[in-house]
């Protein structure tokens, strides 16, 4: 059967690859053989080097012994010529070479030493038969000074007659002074051992540190774990025959060359070892170079293989591409149809899932709108409902922005808007959305704030709100009816005094998640799949967006969960603390210098004291009613009482009310749905403040109490500055938006003239008198002339105020690049739709002042 061209190419490729492998294998074998040969030669050279070094030491010691013996013979001749040999001995002075000189005359068993002592040969052992140039040498022993020594005896002859025997005691330390100070860079270990007793009598200086166990050969065996019977037998034979021995043995896990080297025909031995690496330094260098060469060869080999493989892959890829091109035309229509169907299904599924997340804040908007109509005659509740409607509307807007901006989040192009905000505003807006959702399912929603040191922080409030809503709404959705949701904000230890380190915890006792799903929970469009969670609608974007935002803020998010036990999400963030001091003027203006705090836990009281620390207000605390009554004996010392409702109750409220003047209000710090508050609020000058405690919410409550009889209470926004008496030119092509803008400005006491497009706005400003308009509010997407073109045209007009009048972009194009485009067109600020009057007033006030300067 004839082979195809592709098979022939593959066969040619493999036939080329085989010679390459054989060539490199041949070179590898040669290099390996050379390396082994060099290793063997270096081992032999190492043994030769050590033998030469030991021979040098051996020669040195034998030369010392010979010199001592010859010296002793000379002394013996001097004694033979002396008339009184013993007197000569007594006059002999001790020196560094001879420790003691003694003489025993012939026919006597006792003699005399140069130290004046009587001397006998008793204790000296010459039985081993060792000699130095014919003179007997004793075994080594410890002399009276505790120093290892040996004695050489020499006959004293006069007229060919032996008249006595001269004994000279030598110390081994004299040998130490004549030996080289270490060898092999002081890495070697050397002992001098007496052959007969096998005692170590000297460890020369610089020859290694003596081990406490190296007292004799047996201890040396034990300390260095020399247990091999063959080695010990070889050493024993060496001692008996007086020959040298070298053997390899690891000393403390280091390969070493051990030696037993005979000196003076085996009367003493050199014992020790040298690390192999110390005597194979040159060999290691050669082997390293060989290793480099071998490694280079292997690298070259694998590089050739890789290049060959890549070339083969490239050829295969080109071949497959040509084959795919032939198939492509026949598949394009089918793939296009399939892609269209998938896109349609994905869009339908995405919009279906997204409807639930959009309905969540919409439910709050509609619900509070209904309550607004019911309680229209209650200004306090109208303000509360309006604030919560605004919060839910803002969340709805953020959801819409998330859908439009999800691709930017995934690509990391989202820009954070860092501004000063209050934690109380974030918690209140989240609470307004989550509380109704939890109540609808009969769930208990627990809110806790602990150890927060600063209420006002700098960050992206909208994104933080989005994180919390995503986590809490999921907790509600995936917790069964009657379950529990815990929302905690915990102050952690600060890493820097410029940043507040907080941890956000969202915990529930709901359905929980499997370990498998936990691995993909932060992936886009992923949802837990089971019979329970499938009933809950969702986009699958929430956790992916949440994680992206948290990481963009420099934080971290983690989750733990167990099926049917619930889940715990933890988010750690570090938010900058604003510069500047607290607004103490607020408390001074209302003549509040001291407040009594009654009840609550010790931890709760500490949190309130920490948050109120920078206000300049003194807080006195009382644990119960009795101590509170003691504190208010001086009724002029407190301007307000803050009372923990859950810890005190109605009896404490009535008791304090009787003890306090009616001019001092009592504020009850209570949970959102605390029971029994209705009776307590019937007490004069009593009101409630929802937990958790925040200074900003406390200030709002004080404003409400201080101005509850006024029809127009002073607000922070009015303190910043309103729009009363101002007149604006607005370019807006949508009639409904124009009507809303006109009415909102009218509420603020400002007038507005509408131009239906950018061209009309330019012409109207051109006809206006100087100072007729305080600012221009410019939509962007308009017919005839859009907002950017209109702004450039106004700035280009030949009149003095054309470059000074504030132009503020007011458009639904709310992305960061839209704001940049507006500023590049000559506008001063960008306020996104839906219109937020506070933002608009802030922008107008800021840029009006700038133009005035």
């Amino acid at each position: 059967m004839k082979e195809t061209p592709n098979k022939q190419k593959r066969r040619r490729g493999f036939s080329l690859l085989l010679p390459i492998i054989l060539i490199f294998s041949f070179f590898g074998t040669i290099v390996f053989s050379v390396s082994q040969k060099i290793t063997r030669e270096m081992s032999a050279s190492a043994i030769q080097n050590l033998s030469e070094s030991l021979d040098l030491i051996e020669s040195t010691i034998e030369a010392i012994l010979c010199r001592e013996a010859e010296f002793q013979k000379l002394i013996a001749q001097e004694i033979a010529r002396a008339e009184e040999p013993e007197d000569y001995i007594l006059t002999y002075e001790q020196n560094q070479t001879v420790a003691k000189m003694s003489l025993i005359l012939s026919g006597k068993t006792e003699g005399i030493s140069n130290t004046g002592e009587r001397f006998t040969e008793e204790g000296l052992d010459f039985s081993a038969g060792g000699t130095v140039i014919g003179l007997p040498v004793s075994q080594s022993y410890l002399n009276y000074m505790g120093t290892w020594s040996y004695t050489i005896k020499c006959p004293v002859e006069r007229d060919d007659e032996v008249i006595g025997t001269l004994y000279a005691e030598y110390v081994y330390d004299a040998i130490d002074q004549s030996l080289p100070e270490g060898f092999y860079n002081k890495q070697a270990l050397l002992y001098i051992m007496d052959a007969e007793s096998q005692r170590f009598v000297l460890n020369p200086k610089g020859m290694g540190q003596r081990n406490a166990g190296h007292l004799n050969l047996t201890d040396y065996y034990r300390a260095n774990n020399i247990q091999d019977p063959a080695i010990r037998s070889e050493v024993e034979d060496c001692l008996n025959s007086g020959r040298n021995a070298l053997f390899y043995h690891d000393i403390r896990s280091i390969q070493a060359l051990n030696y037993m080297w005979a000196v003076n025909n085996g009367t003493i031995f050199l014992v020790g070892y040298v690390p192999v690496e110390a005597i194979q330094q040159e060999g290691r260098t050669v082997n390293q170079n060989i290793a480099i060469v071998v490694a280079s060869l292997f690298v070259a080999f694998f590089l050739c293989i890789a290049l060959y493989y890549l070339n083969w892959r490239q050829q295969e890829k080109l071949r497959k591409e040509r084959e795919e091109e032939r198939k492509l035309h026949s598949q394009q229509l089918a793939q296009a149809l399939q892609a269209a169907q998938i896109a349609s299904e994905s869009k339908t599924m995405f919009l279906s899932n997204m409807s639930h997340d959009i309905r969540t804040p919409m439910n709050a908007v509609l619900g509070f709108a209904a309550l607004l109509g019911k309680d229209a005659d209650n200004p306090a509740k109208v303000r509360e409902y309006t604030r919560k409607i605004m919060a839910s509307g803002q969340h709805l807007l953020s959801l819409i922005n998330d859908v439009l901006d999800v691709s930017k989040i995934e690509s990391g192009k989202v820009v954070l808007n860092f501004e000063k905000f209050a934690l109380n505003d974030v918690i209140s807006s989240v609470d307004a959305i989550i509380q109704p959702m939890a109540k609808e399912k009969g769930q208990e929603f627990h809110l806790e704030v602990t150890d927060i040191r600063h209420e006002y922080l700098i960050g992206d409030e909208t994104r933080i709100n989005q994180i919390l809503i995503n986590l809490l709404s999921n907790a509600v959705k995936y917790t069964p009816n009657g379950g529990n949701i815990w929302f905690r904000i915990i102050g952690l230890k600060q890493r820097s005094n410029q940043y507040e380190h907080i941890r956000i915890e969202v915990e529930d006792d709901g359905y929980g998640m499997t370990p498998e799903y936990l691995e993909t929970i932060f992936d886009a469009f992923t949802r837990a799949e089971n019979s329970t969670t499938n009933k809950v609608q969702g986009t699958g974007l929430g956790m992916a967006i949440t994680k992206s935002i948290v990481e963009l803020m420099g934080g971290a998010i983690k989750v733990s969960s167990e099926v049917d036990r619930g889940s715990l999400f933890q988010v750690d963030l570090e938010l900058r603390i604003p510069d500047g001091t607290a607004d103490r003027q607020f408390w001074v203006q209302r003549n509040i210098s001291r407040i009594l705090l009654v009840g609550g836990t010790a931890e709760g009281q500490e949190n309130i004291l920490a948050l109120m620390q920078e206000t300049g207000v003194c807080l006195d605390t009382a644990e119960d009613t009795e101590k509170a009554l003691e504190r208010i004996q001086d009724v002029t010392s407190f301007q307000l009482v803050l009372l923990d409702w859950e810890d005190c109750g109605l009896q404490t409220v009535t008791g304090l009310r009787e003890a306090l003047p009616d001019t001092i209000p009592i504020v009850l710090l209570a949970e959102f749905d605390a029971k029994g508050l209705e009776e307590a609020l019937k007490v004069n000058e009593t009101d409630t403040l929802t937990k958790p405690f925040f200074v900003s919410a406390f200030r709002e409550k004080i404003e409400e109490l201080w101005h509850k009889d006024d029809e127009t209470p002073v607000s922070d926004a009015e303190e910043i500055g309103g729009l009363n008496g101002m007149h604006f030119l607005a370019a807006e092509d949508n009639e409904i938006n124009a009507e809303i803008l006109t009415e909102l400005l009218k509420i603020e006491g400002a007038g507005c003239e509408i131009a239906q497009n950018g061209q009309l706005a330019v012409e109207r400003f051109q006809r206006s008198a100087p100072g007729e308009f305080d600012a221009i509010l410019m939509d962007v997407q308009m017919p005839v002339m859009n907002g950017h073109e209109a702004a450039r045209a106004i700035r280009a007009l030949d009149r003095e105020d054309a470059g000074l009048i504030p132009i503020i972009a007011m458009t639904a194009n709310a992305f960061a690049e839209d704001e940049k485009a507006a500023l590049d067109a000559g506008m001063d600020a960008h306020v996104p739709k839906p219109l937020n009057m506070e933002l608009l007033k802030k922008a107008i006030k800021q840029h009006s002042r700038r133009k005035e300067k």
Side-chain angles (χ1 to χ4, degrees):
M1 184 176 180
K2 189 176 181 180
E3 291 184 337
T4 63
N6 292 330
K7 289 184 178 180
Q8 291 177 354
K9 289 181 180 179
R10 283 195 289 270
R11 288 192 61 183
R12 285 198 298 270
F14 285 119
S15 63
L16 177 62
L17 181 61
L18 184 59
I20 295 176
I21 296 174
L22 291 175
I23 291 171
F24 276 98
S25 299
F26 175 73
F27 278 111
T29 303
I30 292 176
V31 171
F32 179 77
S33 301
V34 171
S35 175
Q36 291 298 309
K37 180 181 178 183
I38 291 176
T39 300
R40 289 192 298 271
E41 290 177 353
M42 286 300 171
S43 297
S45 175
I47 296 174
Q48 181 65 29
N49 290 340
L50 179 59
S51 299
E52 291 175 358
S53 298
L54 292 173
D55 284 341
L56 177 61
I57 296 175
E58 175 192 354
S59 300
T60 301
I61 295 174
E62 290 179 345
I64 293 172
L65 294 175
C66 291
R67 185 186 63 194
E68 291 172 346
E70 289 173 354
F71 172 77
Q72 192 169 342
K73 285 184 177 181
L74 292 175
I75 296 296
Q77 293 173 7
E78 291 290 332
I79 293 173
R81 287 193 292 269
E83 294 182 1
E84 296 293 335
E86 291 186 343
D87 292 340
Y88 183 89
I89 291 297
L90 290 174
T91 60
Y92 185 82
E93 294 183 0
Q94 185 176 356
N95 56 44
Q96 293 181 350
T97 303
V98 181
K100 186 168 65 173
M101 188 78 74
S102 304
L103 176 66
I104 299 178
L105 296 175
S106 298
K108 296 183 180 181
T109 60
E110 186 178 277
I112 191 168
S113 299
N114 64 333
T115 58
E117 300 173 341
R118 303 307 297 172
F119 174 79
T120 66
E121 192 177 314
E122 183 180 356
L124 297 177
D125 187 356
F126 293 93
S127 62
T131 62
V132 178
I133 59 173
L135 299 183
V137 181
S138 72
Q139 289 186 25
S140 302
Y141 59 90
L142 285 171
N143 64 12
Y144 70 97
M145 295 183 295
T147 302
W148 282 102
S149 308
Y150 58 93
T151 296
I152 300 176
K153 65 180 180 178
C154 175
V156 179
E157 296 180 354
R158 179 188 295 169
D159 300 329
D160 296 328
E161 180 184 354
V162 177
I163 65 171
T165 302
L166 177 65
Y167 297 84
E169 181 181 279
Y170 302 93
V171 294
Y172 279 99
D173 290 343
I175 296 177
D176 188 12
Q177 297 172 3
S178 301
L179 293 179
E181 189 172 344
F183 67 114
Y184 289 109
N185 199 23
K186 297 186 179 181
Q187 296 184 57
L189 180 69
L190 172 67
Y191 291 103
I192 296 179
M193 184 186 75
D194 180 74
E196 187 67 21
S197 64
Q198 297 184 1
R199 299 282 300 190
F200 289 167
V201 297
L202 180 64
N203 176 215
K205 60 182 180 297
M207 298 296 184
Q209 296 297 319
R210 164 174 274 188
N211 187 296
H214 294 180
L215 302 176
N216 53 41
L217 187 60
T218 302
D219 293 335
Y220 180 79
Y221 284 156
R222 185 188 63 252
N224 295 306
N225 196 27
I226 301 177
Q227 304 296 336
D228 189 347
I231 293 178
R232 300 186 69 158
S233 175
E234 182 182 359
V235 172
E236 189 68 25
D237 183 61
C238 170
L239 291 173
N240 294 332
S241 62
R243 63 181 180 83
N244 301 329
L246 289 171
F247 59 90
Y248 286 100
H249 181 74
D250 290 351
I251 304 296
R252 290 186 290 277
S253 301
I254 298 175
Q255 187 180 14
L257 185 58
N258 296 256
Y259 53 83
M260 294 284 297
W261 211 257
V263 180
N264 193 36
N265 297 320
T267 59
I268 59 177
F269 276 83
L270 304 178
V271 181
Y273 63 85
V274 180
V276 172
E277 64 177 8
I279 55 180
Q280 286 188 341
Q281 184 67 38
E282 294 181 358
R284 283 202 311 275
T285 303
V286 173
N287 285 333
Q288 287 173 356
N289 292 333
I290 292 175
I292 293 173
V293 173
V294 172
S296 301
L297 285 174
F298 275 108
V299 170
F301 170 71
F302 286 114
L303 183 60
C304 291
I305 296 297
L307 291 174
Y308 174 81
Y309 177 73
L310 290 175
N311 180 65
W312 179 79
R313 282 287 302 273
Q314 184 66 23
Q315 295 297 326
E316 283 292 299
K317 182 179 179 182
L318 292 174
R319 181 185 62 80
K320 290 179 179 179
E321 286 178 354
R322 288 192 294 269
E323 291 180 358
E324 290 297 328
E325 286 177 1
R326 288 193 294 267
K327 297 178 182 178
L328 182 61
H329 296 292
S330 61
Q331 296 177 351
Q332 281 182 339
L333 291 177
Q335 290 177 349
L337 177 61
Q338 185 180 7
Q341 290 173 343
I342 293 173
S344 178
E345 291 174 0
S346 299
K347 182 178 72 172
T348 302
M349 182 179 294
F350 175 77
L351 292 176
S352 175
N353 291 339
M354 194 64 200
S355 66
H356 182 271
D357 285 346
I358 293 178
R359 287 173 186 273
T360 299
M362 182 60 72
N363 178 62
V365 171
L366 297 177
F368 282 116
L371 292 175
L372 188 62
K374 179 181 177 182
D375 296 320
D377 55 347
N378 187 333
K381 289 194 173 183
V382 168
R383 285 193 295 273
E384 181 182 357
Y385 294 155
T386 303
R387 178 173 57 84
K388 292 179 178 179
I389 288 173
M390 289 295 295
S392 299
Q394 288 295 332
H395 175 56
L396 178 61
L397 179 62
S398 69
L399 278 177
I400 296 171
N401 285 338
D402 283 341
V403 176
L404 299 176
D405 207 24
V406 64
S407 62
K408 296 183 180 180
I409 291 177
E410 292 177 345
S411 62
K413 294 181 180 179
V414 173
V415 179
L416 297 178
N417 182 25
F418 290 99
E419 291 183 347
K420 181 179 178 181
F421 71 94
L423 274 178
N424 175 58
D425 295 338
V426 173
I427 294 174
S428 297
S429 62
V430 170
D431 187 65
I433 295 173
I434 300 302
Q435 281 283 7
M437 295 171 57
K439 281 194 170 184
E440 185 177 350
K441 297 183 68 174
Q443 297 169 343
E444 291 291 333
F445 182 66
H446 309 278
L447 176 58
E448 302 173 13
V449 178
T450 56
D451 297 331
I452 295 297
R453 300 167 185 80
H454 300 87
E455 177 183 350
Y456 290 95
L457 302 168
I458 294 177
D460 193 325
E461 181 179 0
T462 301
R463 296 299 184 184
I464 294 174
N465 188 72
Q466 183 178 357
I467 293 170
L468 298 178
I469 294 296
N470 281 347
L471 296 176
L472 287 167
S473 62
N474 275 354
V476 173
K477 285 189 291 184
Y478 294 103
T479 300
N481 293 351
N484 291 274
I485 312 293
W486 291 271
F487 172 33
R488 308 182 189 97
I489 295 185
I490 305 168
L492 302 179
K493 183 179 180 181
Q494 291 178 261
R495 297 189 180 99
S496 168
N497 57 10
Q498 297 180 342
Y499 288 86
E500 182 81 17
H501 190 190
I502 66 172
R503 171 170 292 171
I504 300 166
E505 290 187 350
V506 175
E507 185 177 4
D508 64 70
D509 55 4
Y511 306 127
M513 293 172 280
T514 63
E516 294 76 16
Y517 178 63
L518 285 176
E519 296 179 1
T520 61
I521 185 174
F522 295 114
D523 295 341
F525 299 104
T526 58
R527 301 182 65 225
E529 297 292 336
N530 58 58
S531 59
T532 301
T533 57
N534 283 344
K535 299 176 183 178
V536 182
Q537 294 182 346
T539 63
L541 289 174
M543 288 299 98
I545 292 174
T546 299
K547 184 174 186 292
S548 297
I549 295 173
V550 169
E551 291 178 348
L552 192 61
M553 291 181 175
I557 182 171
K558 61 181 179 179
V559 57
S560 58
S561 181
E562 291 185 34
V563 176
D564 297 328
R565 296 289 296 275
S567 305
L568 171 63
F569 286 84
Q570 290 181 325
V571 176
D572 287 358
L573 295 174
E574 287 190 281
L575 301 174
R576 189 174 182 84
I577 301 168
D579 297 330
T581 58
D583 182 14
R584 300 191 176 193
Q585 193 64 27
F586 172 86
W587 308 94
V588 174
Q589 289 176 352
R590 287 145 189 83
N591 196 28
I592 299 176
S593 60
R594 176 165 290 185
I595 295 174
L596 177 61
L597 177 59
V598 182
T601 63
E603 184 181 11
Q605 287 187 351
E606 289 178 3
N607 288 334
I608 295 175
L609 289 171
L611 290 171
M612 290 289 292
Q613 187 175 6
E614 296 184 358
T615 62
V617 177
C618 179
L619 257 72
D620 289 346
T621 60
E623 294 80 4
D624 50 35
T625 307
E626 182 180 350
K627 293 192 176 178
L629 292 174
E630 292 177 2
R631 294 288 178 91
I632 61 176
Q633 288 180 357
D634 183 5
V635 295
T636 60
S637 59
F638 299 107
Q639 292 82 41
L640 187 143
V641 175
L642 184 61
L643 185 145
D644 190 293
W645 169 251
E646 294 180 8
D647 197 42
C648 297
L650 180 62
Q651 186 176 357
T652 301
V653 176
T654 55
L656 291 177
R657 185 73 281 163
E658 291 175 0
L660 288 169
D662 289 342
T663 56
I664 299 178
I666 299 175
V667 177
L668 308 179
L669 190 60
E671 297 287 349
F672 176 78
D673 54 354
K675 298 179 180 179
L677 279 175
E678 295 80 3
E679 292 296 324
L681 292 176
K682 293 178 182 179
V683 179
N684 293 336
E685 291 298 321
T686 303
D687 210 328
T688 61
L689 178 64
T690 303
K691 287 185 177 181
F693 177 86
F694 281 106
V695 177
S696 58
F698 192 32
R699 283 182 51 172
E700 291 179 6
K701 181 56 64 176
I702 291 173
E703 280 287 345
E704 185 179 329
L705 290 171
W706 257 244
H707 299 282
K708 65 181 180 179
D709 296 328
D710 298 344
E711 292 183 0
T712 57
V714 179
S715 65
D716 288 344
E718 289 174 335
E719 289 179 4
I720 294 174
L723 306 179
N724 189 35
M726 301 184 76
H727 188 58
F728 300 100
L729 172 62
E732 177 59 71
D733 64 320
N734 186 287
E735 293 183 4
I736 295 177
N737 289 345
E739 182 180 355
I740 292 173
L741 176 62
T742 302
E743 292 301 320
L744 289 174
L745 291 174
K746 186 184 295 183
I747 292 173
E748 299 294 333
C752 177
E753 182 175 335
I754 303 295
Q756 282 73 31
N757 57 57
Q759 181 65 46
L760 296 176
V762 174
E763 294 173 356
R764 178 65 185 88
F765 177 74
Q766 195 170 12
R767 296 195 305 271
S768 67
E772 180 179 349
F773 297 113
D774 294 290
I776 299 174
L777 308 179
M778 185 73 72
D779 190 13
V780 173
Q781 293 187 357
M782 294 181 294
V784 184
M785 179 182 287
N786 64 36
H788 295 157
E789 295 170 346
R792 292 190 184 95
I794 291 173
R795 294 302 187 205
L797 291 176
D798 188 17
R799 51 184 291 170
E800 185 177 352
D801 58 349
L804 298 176
I805 186 168
I807 304 177
I808 298 172
M810 196 172 61
T811 173
N813 298 339
F815 296 133
E817 57 266 30
D818 299 318
E819 181 176 0
K820 183 177 183 301
L823 298 178
D824 291 342
M827 302 189 199
D828 297 284
H830 181 276
V831 178
K833 293 179 182 178
L835 186 60
N836 185 321
M837 285 303 296
E838 295 303 322
L839 291 178
L840 179 61
K841 287 193 291 184
K842 182 179 179 180
I844 292 172
K845 195 68 177 178
Q846 177 183 356
H847 293 285
S848 295
R849 288 177 179 172
R850 184 186 301 173
K851 300 301 180 184
E852 289 170 5
K853 293 178 183 179

